Amino acid sequence: MGSLKNEEEIEFMGEEWNKEAILYVNGVRKVLPDGLAHLTLIEYLRDIGLTGTKLGCGEGGCGACTVMVSHYDKKSKKCMHYAVNACLTPLYSVEGMHVITVEGVGNRKHGLHPIQESLARAHGSQCGFCTPGFIMSMYALLRSSQMTLTEEQIEECLAGNLCRCTGYRPIVDAFQVFSKTNDAVYTDMSSLSLKEGEFVCPSTGKPCSCRPKTGSNVHTCKEGVACGRSYEPVSYSEIDGSTYTEKELIFPPELLLRKLDPLKLSGFGGIKWYRPLKLQHLLDLKAKYPDAKLLVGNTEVGIEVRLKRMQYPVLISVTHVPELNVLSVKDDGLEIGAAVRLTELLKTFRRLVNEHPSDGTSSCKAFIGQLKWFAGTQIKNVASVGGNICTASPISDLNPLWMASRAKFQIIDSNGNIRTVLAEDFFLGYRKVNMASDEILLSIFLPWTRRYEFVKEFKQAHRREDDIAIVNAGMRVSLEEKGEQLIILDASIAYGGVAPLSVSASKTKEFMIGKSWTQELLKSALKILQTDIILKEDAPGGMVEFRRSLTLSFFFKFFLWVSHQMDGNKSASESFLSTHLSAVQPFHRPSVIGSQDYEIIKHGTSVGSPEVHLSAKLQVTGEAEYTDDTPMPPHGLHAALVMSRKPHARILSIDDSGARSSPGFVGIYFSEDVPGDNTIGPVVYDEELFASEVVTCVGQVIGVAVADTHENAKLAARRVHVEYEELPAILSIQDAINAKSFHPNTEKRLNKGDVDMCFASGQCDKIIEGEVQVGGQEHFYLEPHSSFVWTTDGGNEVHMISSTQAPQKHQKYVAHVLGLPMSKVVCKTKRIGGGFGGKETRSALYAAAASVPSYLLNRPVKITLDRDTDMMTSGQRHSFLGKYKVGFTNEGKVTALDLEIYNNAGNSLDLSLAILERAMFHSHNVYEIPNVRILGRVCFTNFPSHTAFRGFGGPQGMLIAENWIQRIAVELGKSPEEIREINFQGEGSITHYGQKLEYCTLAPLWNELKVSCDFVNARKETEIFNRNNRWKKRGVAMVPTKFGISFTLKLMNQAGALVHVYTDGTVLVTHGGVEMGQGLHTKVAQVAASAFNIPLSSVFISETSTDKIPNASPTAASASSDMYGAAVLDACEQIKARMEPIASKNNFNSFAELASACYAERIDLSAHGFYITPEIGFDWNVGKGTPFRYFTYGAAFAEVEIDTLTGDFHTRAANVILDLGYSLNPAIDVGQIEGAFIQGLGWVALEEMKWGDAAHKWIPSGHLYTCGPGSYKIPSLNDVPFKFNVSLLKGHPNVKAIHSSKAVGEPPFFLASSVFFAIKDAIMAARAETGHKEWFPLDSPATPERIRMACLDEFTTPFISNDYRPKLSV
C-alpha cells in the first residue's frame, strides 16, 4: 500500500492541474475562462444570451431551468443524455460535456422539433414560462431511450416540472404521442400550418377528421385521446441516442476523443474548484482541505449556498473518481460507489429485481419504491448516493432504509485506510456523521435479503411527487417457521422526520426478537413504539401529533404487509381480515385520461374556432421574451431590496457601510432619497415605498441597493445592518379581532329580510352555529416579479418593461415616487409568466423601488426577485374566518343566514376591501335564502399585504357557504347534494344584494352533470368500496358555483383599444389588457379577424403599453375578453364604416386591395375603440344594486380515495361543466377551466401557508416558512384526476357579452372544492368505522395531516382528542 501511495504521489505531483475548461452548448464550442467557479450553468447560459432556459425558483424545485447534458462514458462506450436543473448545476461540473438548451432543439426559422410541435398544437403552453423546461425534460427522455416509451415513463420524467396554468392534462396529451400505446407513424410534422380543409382537433391539437368537412358552424367535439397519431425515432445510435429529426444536434466528435484532465479552477470570493480523477488525489485534497465540500450533483450544497448563505471556499467535484462510481454485484450483496447517481442506482435495482430470486431482493424493491418519490428526475439524474447519506438530513428518504437493510458504509481516510461502519451507527446527530474531517465515504454495501426476510419503505409528504418527507421509515423483519408459528429472528425499524437524525426504534426491535408474529405482538409493539419514538411538542416542523401517529400507522402497515407476504402461513394469514388488506395493497396510478366536450359556433373567419395560442410556437422554442430576458446594456445595474426582519418594530438606526464596501456596489437608497412622494397604495396611500421609521411586517422594503450583478446587489442589500426596537405584533385574524385591529373605514354590511325575527319565530326547525377557517394561497406564478427601468432624454422620461397585470399602476407609482407627470412615464408589457392576481397591484412596488436608483443615477436598473423574496414580500390569497349562524327547516330549506366574515389583509389595505366585498356578494353561493345578514371586516395584521388572487374573495365566501350546507346535510341525515338542490336559486331570484338573476342556467347545468357522472351509481359504488375496505375510503361530491362578472368598482369597467390597418391587409391591434397565458391576445385577435373577415394570421398584437392605451384597468376580474374584445370590435367597426363607401363601389379580391384603395382615397385606417360595461352599479350606503353584468355558472363532480392511515389521497375522477355561452375560443376556455380546477385543488387540498404565529412557534415570529417549492407544494402532474372531463353547456348564448360569450378565468376555480367535499365524504366513512357519525370541522387546505387526524382510530387516540383540529395560519 505504501509503495503504491508513493507512486500515486509522484504522479499527482507530476500531473499538471488543467485550467482550461471546454464546454459545448447547442453544438458550439465554448472555452470557459478560470474564475467562474461561483457560477451555475443557468447564470452562464443566460449571460451568453440563451434566455430560453428560465429561472423559476433557484432550488431545483420547479423545472423551468431544465436543460439536457450529454457526456461520453468511456466504460460503456455510450453517451449518456439526461435532464438537469441548470439552476443547481455548477458551471465547471459540465466541463467536457455537451449542453443542449431549448434553443438547440428547434426554432421557428429552421423548424420545430416534433416535441415542440406537439405541445404547441395540444394547447399545452399558456403563459409559456415553464414550457422550455417541459420540452427539455421530454427531449432528454426521448434522446436517452432506445425502446419506445411507456405513458408511465413519460409522466415520471415530468415529475420535476411544475406548471401553474394548464392543469397538466394537455401537456400529457401532447407527449403521449411518443409512447407505444399507438403504433401509427406520424412523420410529417414540420410546420404548424395546416393543409386546406384540415382541422385541428380542439381536444388534442392535432390534425384529425373529427370535424365534418362541410364547414358547418356548429360542431361538437368530444375527444380524449390523440387522434391516431404518434411519433417514432428516425434513428438510434450509442453516441447520439434516439433522433426524431434530421436536424438533431449530434454529440461533438471532439468530446469523444478528448482526454479528461484533472481541473483546478477558481471563482469569486477566493473559491477553489477541483476535479480530481484519482482517488488518491481526492484523499490528498481532503487532507489538505479538511473542510472542503465534495460535490456530485450540488443538489444540497447549491441550496445551502443560495438559501442558507453558507460559504464553502473549497469545492471538490468527485464525479470522475472511478472507485466512487463502482456498481458491483457480489455473491453476498451489492457494492455501490458513493458517487453513483440515484438514477443509475434505480436502474440497477430494477435490473436486479428482474434477474435475481425474489427472496434476495426485498431491500432492492424497497429502495425502488422510495426512489420513485425521492425527487424530480432532474435531481435524481445528478444527486449521488453518498451525498444523500453524508448530508445526514433528518428527513432523508434513503437513510432509514440503509439502516433497516443492514447496509454497511466503507469509509476511507487520507492514508488509504478503510473502515466499515454499520448504517445504523453512522448518524450521530443533526447533520453529524461518524466520519473524521480527513475521511470520505467510499462505498455502500447492501446485503441480499434472506428467505422470509422482508424490507419495506414508507413515506408521507405534503405532495406525493418531488416532495420532502414529513415522516419516512425503513423496516425489516427476518422470520423463521417453527411449526405453525413464525418466530422473529431479527428486526430493524428506522424512522426519519421524528428526530434531528434518522433514528432506530431500538426498544421495539429488542422486544420483537424471539417473539411470534401475531396480533398480540402487534399490539404490544405499538405500545412500546409510543415510548420508543418521542417527539417533543415544540419540535421543528410542527405537525407533532400527525408525525407521532404516522410512526404507528407505518408499523401497522408493515405488520399487515409482512403477514400478506407470508400468506401461506396459517398464523400470519389469520392475523388480519380481508377488509384490512387495503392498508397494504400497492397503488398503481393510471395515466391521465381527459375528455373535452363542446360545440364550435363560428362567427366570421375566426371567432368560435379552437385556435392555438398565438405565442405557442414562440413559447415552445424558448423564443418568447419575458421581462428578465431583456438584454442588459453595458452600463445596466441590478437592484436588490433591503428588507425588514421584524414583524413590527421601530427602526433605530441603519448602517449601510457594509453594503458600500461590497464588490460591484454602485448605490444604496432609503426613504430620504425618494425624489417624489414616499407614500404609495393602489386605493389609499397607506404604504411607504421605503419604510422610514416603523416596519410593520417581515419583508417590508427599507431600501434598495444597486450593483453590477444580481448576486452583488443581493450581497450589498444583505450587508445593511438595521437596529430595531421590537413592538407587539398581530399575527392572526383572531389576534386582530381581540385587539380590534381593523383597517379604517372597512366595515361592510349586507341585509335581506329579518334575520333575528326568523331565528325567533317558528320558521327555523333547527339552528346551527360554527366557524370556518380558510387558509391562504401563494400565487406561484412561474415568472417571479421583474421590472427593467431606464431613463431617456437625459432623465426627462422614464421607461420600463414590467411583468405586471396593470402597466397603468406601474406608470402611476413610478411617476408618483419620482415626482414626474404620468405623461413622462411609459410602461410596456409584452407577456407575463403567470399572474393570477399577484401582479395586479404588488408588482408596482418593485418597479417603483427600481425606478429610484435608475432616475437618480440616470442608468438602466433591472430588478428580478428571487423566489423566496417574491413569496415573502408580495402577498398571497387572503385567509378568511367565517362565523355563521344558519336556520333551516327539517326538509333542509335554509331560512336565515347570519354571517360575520373577516379577511387577513396584512399591513396595508391594498385591494382587501374589494376582496371582502366580493366574498360577501358570494357568501350564499347559489342558494335562495330569504333572510340574510352579513358583516364584513378587514383585519390589519403584521404580515405583508395580501392581495388579489383568482376569484378575488369569491371562493372564500362560497367555501364558507358550502361548509354550512354540508353541515345541514349531516344534521338532517341527508346528502349534501340534496340540500343544495332544494335551495337552488332560479330565474328571477333576487340576491341578498338586490340583483335579479337573468338567464340562469344552473338547473340544466346541474342536471347534465348528474347524468354525465352517473352520480347515483357513483354514490352506490363508493358505499360498496367503503364497506369492503377498512383503511382506504372513497368519497364523492357535487358542487355548484355562480360567479359574478365585472369589477365591483364601477369606474374600472372601461376599456380602450387601438386598431391600425396597413396597406398589405394586415392589422395591428393594441389594447389595455395583458397577455399572461389566458389567451387574451388570441381571443382579441380572433375578434378583429372576424370583424374584418380576414384570417387570424393577418392580425398581430405586439404588446401592452401605457403610451398607446391610457388609463387601462388591470387585466383582472375575468372580464378582459369581454371588455377589450368589445373595444377592439368598436374600433374595427369604425374603420369598416369608413371603408364601406370604397368597398361598395368596387369588387376587391382581397382585404389588402381594399386597404390600399382606402389609403389612396386618404381614408383614416386607424381607430381608437372604447367600451364601458353597461347597466351596472352598486350603492353600499343602501346595500343594494347591480354589481355584476352577468353570472358564469358551473358545477363539478369529484371522486377521491384516501388512505386513512396516512392522509394521502388521489382524485379518481373530476367532471366539470361550465356555461360559457358561445365560446370565443373553446380550446383556450377548456385550458382555463382545467388550469383553474387544478389550481383550486391546490388551494383546498395541498397548499398550506405556514407563518411564524401562535400556531407555529417553531417559525421565527412573522416569518414565512413556506417560501419556495421545497416547502410550499403546488399540484404536480401526479395530482391531476385520473379521469378529467370538461364540458361546456350547449345552446345557451349570453346576450350580455361580446359574440354571446362568457368570462372564464375565475369561475371554475371554486369548483375544485368538489374535491375538498369528496375528501370530507371519505373521512366521514372512515370515522363511522369507529362510531363517530357526528359533524366535524375540516379546515382548508385538507392536507394529509388534516385528513389523517380527522380519521379517528386506534393510531390517533393515543395522541389526540376527538375534537382535535390541526393548526392553521389564518
Side-chain angles (χ1 to χ4, degrees):
M1 188 72 193
S3 62
L4 176 66
K5 185 176 186 299
N6 289 337
E7 284 173 29
E8 288 277 332
E9 269 180 357
I10 293 161
E11 193 177 343
F12 182 54
M13 297 299 290
E15 192 165 20
E16 281 294 313
W17 288 98
N18 198 342
K19 291 204 172 190
E20 186 182 71
I22 302 293
L23 168 68
Y24 274 78
V25 179
N26 297 334
V28 178
R29 188 177 194 267
K30 304 281 183 184
V31 178
L32 304 176
D34 192 7
L36 305 181
H38 58 287
L39 287 187
T40 56
L41 180 57
I42 193 169
E43 290 171 298
Y44 175 75
L45 292 172
R46 292 183 64 81
D47 281 351
I48 62 171
L50 295 173
T51 54
T53 306
K54 306 298 182 196
L55 182 59
C57 70
E59 54 181 279
C62 73
C65 65
T66 305
V67 298
M68 186 179 91
V69 170
S70 305
H71 76 268
Y72 183 61
D73 180 35
K74 286 188 163 61
K75 201 161 88 177
S76 64
K77 294 189 168 48
K78 282 174 69 172
C79 259
M80 304 293 167
H81 308 279
Y82 49 94
V84 304
N85 291 120
C87 72
L88 288 180
T89 304
L91 177 58
Y92 289 145
S93 72
V94 292
E95 197 281 335
M97 300 183 188
H98 187 199
V99 174
I100 296 182
T101 70
V102 69
E103 290 93 342
V105 175
N107 57 53
R108 286 170 310 125
K109 285 176 185 163
H110 300 110
L112 272 60
H113 189 280
I115 298 174
Q116 297 167 319
E117 196 86 49
S118 186
L119 191 64
R121 288 182 175 224
H123 308 281
S125 179
Q126 288 186 20
C127 86
F129 199 82
C130 71
T131 302
F134 276 93
I135 293 288
M136 294 314 299
S137 286
M138 186 64 197
Y139 182 73
L141 179 68
L142 285 181
R143 287 295 294 265
S144 63
S145 303
Q146 185 174 2
M147 310 295 290
T148 311
L149 299 166
T150 64
E151 290 178 351
E152 189 178 355
Q153 284 175 309
I154 290 170
E155 291 193 17
E156 204 172 286
C157 97
L158 302 176
N161 291 81
L162 296 178
C163 173
R164 196 54 151 163
C165 296
T166 65
Y168 298 100
R169 193 276 314 160
I171 299 172
V172 175
D173 267 12
F175 291 163
Q176 280 180 352
V177 297
F178 296 94
S179 70
K180 61 184 176 193
T181 51
N182 195 318
D183 294 328
V185 180
Y186 191 18
T187 51
D188 182 21
M189 284 286 275
S190 58
S191 164
L192 274 178
S193 59
L194 291 168
K195 294 169 190 166
E196 191 62 32
E198 253 191 339
F199 175 69
V200 172
C201 173
S203 157
T204 64
K206 299 167 195 70
C208 73
S209 55
C210 68
R211 170 180 173 177
K213 294 200 176 176
T214 56
S216 160
N217 275 351
V218 180
H219 162 66
T220 298
C221 179
K222 191 166 188 173
E223 290 289 332
V225 295
C227 303
R229 304 290 191 182
S230 73
Y231 295 96
E232 285 186 0
V234 175
S235 65
Y236 174 84
S237 77
E238 298 286 287
I239 302 301
D240 294 317
S242 293
T243 55
Y244 281 73
T245 73
E246 301 298 335
K247 298 171 186 170
E248 213 90 66
L249 287 169
I250 63 164
F251 189 74
E254 180 194 354
L255 298 183
L256 287 174
L257 305 170
R258 189 165 178 271
K259 176 179 168 284
L260 272 181
D261 288 322
L263 291 178
K264 178 187 176 184
L265 296 155
S266 63
F268 179 77
I271 293 173
K272 292 185 172 75
W273 169 280
Y274 292 94
R275 185 184 72 187
L277 303 182
K278 294 178 180 174
L279 179 60
Q280 191 57 52
H281 295 183
L282 167 59
L283 297 174
D284 290 343
L285 284 168
K286 193 74 172 95
K288 187 177 178 185
Y289 304 111
D291 295 329
K293 269 287 176 181
L294 274 53
L295 296 183
V296 178
N298 198 47
T299 54
E300 182 67 28
V301 173
I303 288 169
E304 287 178 342
V305 169
R306 202 189 80 76
L307 297 181
K308 299 179 184 174
R309 316 289 178 218
M310 293 186 177
Q311 293 183 340
Y312 298 114
V314 181
L315 301 168
I316 306 172
S317 173
V318 300
T319 48
H320 293 77
V321 177
E323 292 87 342
L324 297 184
N325 285 285
V326 170
L327 261 175
S328 174
V329 179
K330 301 180 184 292
D331 291 342
D332 52 347
L334 177 66
E335 187 185 353
I336 305 156
V340 168
R341 318 289 176 100
L342 297 180
T343 299
E344 279 307 301
L345 184 65
L346 184 56
K347 282 180 191 167
T348 303
F349 280 144
R350 282 174 173 161
R351 180 171 55 79
L352 292 174
V353 166
N354 288 331
E355 294 173 0
H356 282 64
S358 181
D359 280 350
T361 57
S362 183
S363 54
C364 296
K365 289 170 195 161
F367 276 102
I368 290 168
Q370 203 69 307
L371 282 166
K372 177 175 172 59
W373 306 116
F374 179 88
T377 308
Q378 299 94 317
I379 297 290
K380 285 188 284 203
N381 284 341
V382 296
S384 67
V385 183
N388 184 259
I389 291 169
C390 294
T391 296
S393 167
I395 48 170
S396 163
D397 289 341
L398 302 185
N399 289 344
L401 268 180
W402 295 124
M403 293 164 70
S405 304
R406 298 182 293 122
K408 295 173 185 172
F409 298 159
Q410 304 274 345
I411 295 161
I412 187 168
D413 68 13
S414 55
N415 296 315
N417 301 313
I418 295 173
R419 65 186 177 97
T420 302
V421 179
L422 274 173
E424 249 181 338
D425 303 326
F426 185 70
F427 305 102
L428 305 179
Y430 179 68
R431 296 188 182 262
K432 287 184 182 167
V433 294
N434 185 353
M435 275 199 319
S437 60
D438 70 334
E439 289 182 317
I440 66 163
L441 180 63
L442 180 64
S443 63
I444 301 97
F445 179 76
L446 181 68
W448 305 123
T449 47
R450 300 162 290 216
R451 188 166 187 245
Y452 297 154
E453 185 174 26
F454 303 101
V455 182
K456 188 67 179 160
E457 83 292 346
F458 299 94
K459 175 179 178 176
Q460 186 56 48
H462 285 102
R463 182 180 72 198
R464 271 181 307 283
E465 208 165 53
D466 190 16
D467 193 5
I468 54 174
I470 296 167
V471 176
N472 52 31
M475 299 188 190
R476 176 183 60 86
V477 69
S478 183
L479 302 172
E480 182 184 42
E481 282 188 304
K482 281 195 178 172
E484 290 192 347
Q485 290 295 307
L486 285 173
I487 306 299
I488 301 169
L489 295 177
D490 191 17
S492 183
I493 301 155
Y495 288 103
V498 293
L501 70 164
S502 302
V503 291
S504 290
S506 49
K507 289 183 201 165
T508 313
K509 167 187 171 169
E510 285 163 18
F511 166 78
M512 290 169 64
I513 293 173
K515 304 280 195 308
S516 295
W517 190 258
T518 61
Q519 287 276 8
E520 286 69 39
L521 170 96
L522 172 64
K523 285 175 189 167
S524 303
L526 285 168
K527 276 187 184 159
I528 294 166
L529 252 182
Q530 289 175 42
T531 58
D532 210 356
I533 302 294
I534 302 289
L535 200 59
K536 292 178 184 171
E537 286 294 334
D538 60 348
M543 300 181 285
V544 170
E545 297 82 0
F546 178 42
R547 288 152 74 189
R548 287 172 178 163
S549 75
L550 285 174
T551 61
L552 302 189
S553 292
F554 286 167
F555 186 80
F556 175 67
K557 279 177 170 264
F558 179 63
F559 181 84
L560 287 186
W561 178 74
V562 172
S563 301
H564 185 51
Q565 299 297 307
M566 296 293 295
D567 205 11
N569 181 283
K570 193 178 173 193
S571 73
S573 56
E574 284 175 355
S575 62
F576 61 91
L577 302 165
S578 61
T579 55
H580 285 229
L581 259 180
S582 57
V584 294
Q585 276 165 343
F587 177 79
H588 180 74
R589 178 188 165 85
S591 288
V592 175
I593 299 171
S595 74
Q596 303 81 45
D597 179 13
Y598 51 80
E599 61 184 350
I600 294 171
I601 298 178
K602 290 284 292 280
H603 181 100
T605 55
S606 192
V607 166
S609 180
E611 303 285 352
V612 168
H613 195 293
L614 288 182
S615 293
K617 282 198 279 187
L618 287 165
Q619 289 167 194
V620 297
T621 57
E623 294 168 286
E625 289 183 4
Y626 300 82
T627 301
D628 194 38
D629 300 335
T630 310
M632 282 287 274
H635 63 308
L637 299 172
H638 293 265
L641 304 174
V642 180
M643 296 175 292
S644 160
R645 305 302 297 159
K646 303 292 177 187
H648 190 202
R650 186 168 284 107
I651 297 172
L652 300 179
S653 65
I654 298 173
D655 178 4
D656 62 7
S657 57
R660 292 182 182 278
S661 61
S662 280
F665 171 86
V666 175
I668 189 158
Y669 304 90
F670 299 102
S671 58
E672 61 271 20
D673 302 308
V674 175
D677 194 334
N678 190 45
T679 57
I680 54 172
V683 179
V684 296
Y685 286 179
D686 63 346
E687 297 181 62
E688 288 186 302
L689 176 62
F690 301 138
S692 56
E693 295 175 4
V694 175
V695 291
T696 51
C697 73
V698 173
Q700 185 172 355
V701 180
I702 296 171
V704 63
V706 285
D708 58 345
T709 69
H710 181 58
E711 289 303 318
N712 282 345
K714 288 194 296 180
L715 181 62
R718 283 201 302 274
R719 286 185 174 178
V720 175
H721 180 71
V722 183
E723 287 282 340
Y724 301 98
E725 177 195 330
E726 292 199 52
L727 301 168
I730 290 169
L731 299 171
S732 69
I733 291 176
Q734 196 56 56
D735 281 358
I737 294 170
N738 295 344
K740 295 186 168 49
S741 174
F742 304 112
H743 282 276
N745 308 313
T746 60
E747 183 177 300
K748 295 287 176 176
R749 295 177 186 274
L750 289 174
N751 291 285
K752 176 187 177 184
D754 191 329
V755 170
D756 291 329
M757 193 187 83
C758 183
F759 284 139
S761 70
Q763 294 174 48
C764 307
D765 294 323
K766 294 192 175 188
I767 296 172
I768 54 171
E769 293 186 61
E771 282 190 1
V772 181
Q773 296 184 135
V774 183
Q777 184 184 23
E778 164 60 32
H779 303 87
F780 214 96
Y781 26 71
L782 265 289
E783 178 201 21
H785 282 288
S786 185
S787 275
F788 181 39
V789 187
W790 69 96
T791 57
T792 63
D793 215 11
N796 188 43
E797 298 171 43
V798 175
H799 289 243
M800 76 193 96
I801 296 169
S802 289
S803 180
T804 176
Q805 294 170 239
Q808 185 265 351
K809 277 202 168 58
H810 280 226
Q811 177 194 27
K812 190 174 181 180
Y813 271 45
V814 168
H816 182 70
V817 302
L818 298 183
L820 292 173
M822 287 174 69
S823 56
K824 290 188 175 184
V825 179
V826 177
C827 180
K828 295 175 186 282
T829 302
K830 184 171 276 291
R831 64 176 61 82
I832 67 174
F836 315 113
K839 295 176 180 174
E840 184 176 339
T841 56
R842 304 314 298 163
S843 57
L845 164 73
Y846 307 116
S851 73
V852 171
S854 178
Y855 183 72
L856 294 176
L857 294 169
N858 222 8
R859 290 174 71 174
V861 172
K862 184 186 282 187
I863 185 167
T864 300
L865 301 190
D866 285 350
R867 177 62 60 184
D868 55 343
T869 303
D870 188 302
M871 291 179 72
M872 283 190 288
T873 64
S874 65
Q876 287 83 24
R877 180 186 297 280
H878 290 67
S879 54
F880 268 70
L881 174 65
K883 300 184 177 188
Y884 63 82
K885 182 178 179 183
V886 179
F888 53 97
T889 66
N890 287 329
E891 292 74 44
K893 197 91 173 118
V894 179
T895 53
L897 166 66
D898 192 3
L899 177 69
E900 288 180 25
I901 191 166
Y902 302 87
N903 70 0
N904 186 335
N907 71 336
S908 74
L909 185 61
D910 193 70
L911 302 176
S912 300
L913 180 57
I915 287 163
L916 178 81
E917 290 169 358
R918 188 174 273 272
M920 293 170 72
F921 287 142
H922 287 75
S923 286
H924 65 306
N925 194 6
V926 296
Y927 306 117
E928 187 75 70
I929 311 170
N931 304 286
V932 178
R933 179 170 62 208
I934 303 174
L935 166 68
R937 305 293 295 267
V938 177
C939 298
F940 176 99
T941 57
N942 292 113
F943 291 123
S945 192
H946 294 309
T947 190
F949 196 152
R950 198 178 209 157
F952 206 75
Q956 294 97 314
M958 291 186 277
L959 191 64
I960 292 166
E962 291 299 339
N963 265 279
W964 50 254
I965 283 282
Q966 193 263 344
R967 184 170 178 184
I968 291 170
V970 174
E971 297 284 340
L972 297 175
K974 297 187 175 191
S975 81
E977 288 70 30
E978 196 181 333
I979 303 300
R980 289 178 178 119
E981 280 185 42
I982 63 170
N983 285 290
F984 275 172
Q985 292 175 313
E987 188 68 21
S989 287
I990 308 289
T991 64
H992 57 284
Y993 47 87
Q995 181 158 352
K996 184 180 178 182
L997 300 192
E998 300 175 297
Y999 311 103
C1000 177
T1001 54
L1002 181 60
L1005 258 176
W1006 185 259
N1007 294 331
E1008 188 173 316
L1009 178 65
K1010 260 170 104 172
V1011 172
S1012 70
C1013 70
D1014 194 3
F1015 187 74
V1016 175
N1017 198 40
R1019 170 71 71 191
K1020 276 184 195 161
E1021 286 181 3
T1022 297
E1023 287 167 1
I1024 293 166
F1025 178 88
N1026 290 343
R1027 277 199 299 274
N1028 294 326
N1029 293 276
R1030 172 63 186 92
W1031 303 109
K1032 294 266 175 77
K1033 297 293 179 186
R1034 289 181 184 168
V1036 292
M1038 276 177 66
V1039 173
T1041 191
K1042 169 180 110 257
F1043 195 86
I1045 305 301
S1046 288
F1047 287 99
T1048 50
L1049 183 63
K1050 184 176 179 179
L1051 65 85
M1052 296 177 75
N1053 294 279
Q1054 56 178 301
L1058 192 58
V1059 176
H1060 301 319
V1061 175
Y1062 294 96
T1063 54
D1064 66 350
T1066 60
V1067 175
L1068 178 66
V1069 173
T1070 306
H1071 59 86
V1074 170
E1075 176 57 59
M1076 49 189 167
Q1078 83 282 40
L1080 174 62
H1081 282 355
T1082 306
K1083 285 182 173 180
V1084 168
Q1086 286 177 271
V1087 169
S1090 282
F1092 289 123
N1093 200 31
I1094 57 176
L1096 181 60
S1097 57
S1098 293
V1099 181
F1100 181 60
I1101 300 177
S1102 173
E1103 64 186 6
T1104 308
S1105 182
T1106 57
D1107 62 355
K1108 307 293 188 298
I1109 306 298
N1111 314 318
S1113 294
T1115 304
S1118 305
S1120 299
S1121 293
D1122 288 4
M1123 296 196 327
Y1124 293 113
V1128 165
L1129 184 61
D1130 175 43
C1132 293
E1133 294 296 344
Q1134 291 176 43
I1135 295 170
K1136 280 169 69 182
R1138 295 176 204 151
M1139 289 175 132
E1140 204 279 328
I1142 308 295
S1144 60
K1145 288 178 195 168
N1146 300 285
N1147 191 14
F1148 293 101
N1149 292 321
S1150 67
F1151 186 67
E1153 284 185 18
L1154 172 59
S1156 293
C1158 289
Y1159 172 71
E1161 293 295 324
R1162 297 187 297 179
I1163 285 167
D1164 183 6
L1165 295 178
S1166 176
H1168 170 252
F1170 194 67
Y1171 174 77
I1172 56 169
T1173 309
E1175 299 168 10
I1176 55 168
F1178 190 80
D1179 184 355
W1180 275 100
N1181 293 318
V1182 294
K1184 293 289 181 279
T1186 307
F1188 305 116
R1189 176 71 175 134
Y1190 62 88
F1191 297 93
T1192 294
Y1193 296 90
F1197 160 82
E1199 180 187 344
V1200 304
E1201 181 175 312
I1202 66 170
D1203 182 332
T1204 67
L1205 291 167
T1206 63
D1208 199 23
F1209 83 95
H1210 296 271
T1211 307
R1212 292 173 50 79
N1215 285 32
V1216 185
I1217 180 168
L1218 260 87
D1219 166 24
L1220 296 183
Y1222 289 167
S1223 170
L1224 295 176
N1225 183 322
I1228 281 176
D1229 285 351
V1230 163
Q1232 285 293 288
I1233 294 167
E1234 290 173 331
F1237 188 89
I1238 297 302
Q1239 194 176 61
L1241 188 150
W1243 174 57
V1244 297
L1246 283 174
E1247 303 175 38
E1248 182 172 0
M1249 307 296 305
K1250 292 187 179 179
W1251 293 91
D1253 53 22
H1256 304 90
K1257 289 187 174 169
W1258 50 275
I1259 304 171
S1261 180
H1263 284 248
L1264 177 63
Y1265 172 72
T1266 46
C1267 59
S1271 52
Y1272 186 80
K1273 297 298 169 181
I1274 71 169
S1276 73
L1277 196 156
N1278 197 269
D1279 299 299
V1280 178
F1282 306 163
K1283 293 178 183 171
F1284 196 7
N1285 303 322
V1286 175
S1287 52
L1288 306 185
L1289 187 67
K1290 300 179 181 72
H1292 289 269
N1294 176 30
V1295 299
K1296 296 197 169 193
I1298 185 166
H1299 297 318
S1300 306
S1301 65
K1302 275 192 173 184
V1304 67
E1306 292 168 291
F1309 178 88
F1310 177 69
L1311 293 177
S1313 67
S1314 58
V1315 173
F1316 178 84
F1317 289 105
I1319 287 170
K1320 193 163 188 184
D1321 188 46
I1323 295 171
M1324 286 172 68
R1327 289 167 69 96
E1329 294 272 5
T1330 51
H1332 293 279
K1333 296 187 178 179
E1334 71 282 0
W1335 177 85
F1336 64 97
L1338 181 67
D1339 295 325
S1340 85
T1343 56
E1345 177 193 16
R1346 289 189 180 81
I1347 295 171
R1348 199 281 162 267
M1349 300 316 282
C1351 296
L1352 303 172
D1353 55 42
E1354 58 265 44
F1355 308 113
T1356 59
T1357 46
F1359 310 117
I1360 61 166
S1361 60
N1362 292 345
D1363 59 354
Y1364 173 75
R1365 202 167 175 175
K1367 293 164 182 169
L1368 179 68
S1369 288
V1370 286

